[in-house]
Amino acid sequence: MFRAIADVLRQIGGAVATVVTLPFRALARLFGGASGSARGHRA
């Protein structure tokens, strides 16, 4: 029972985290492209 609740909360947390970080990733890609490529990280 508690395990199922924990799994649901974990999935909700993951979905919320992805939704929250998506706009920041887009902004970082737009404004921080030069710095991102300088570090050698390419998405």
Side-chain angles (χ1 to χ4, degrees), residues 13-34:
V16 170
T18 51
V19 170
V20 168
T21 54
L22 270 176
F24 291 107
R25 278 192 211 164
L27 286 175
R29 190 175 299 171
L30 286 175
F31 296 107

Side-chain angles (χ1 to χ4, degrees), residues 2-4 7-10 12-13 16-17 21 23 25 29 31 33-34 36-38 41 43:
F2 291 110
R3 189 178 208 170
D7 286 337
V8 170
L9 289 177
R10 195 176 301 121
I12 292 173
V16 170
T21 54
R25 278 192 211 164
R29 190 175 299 171
F31 296 107
S37 61
H41 176 63

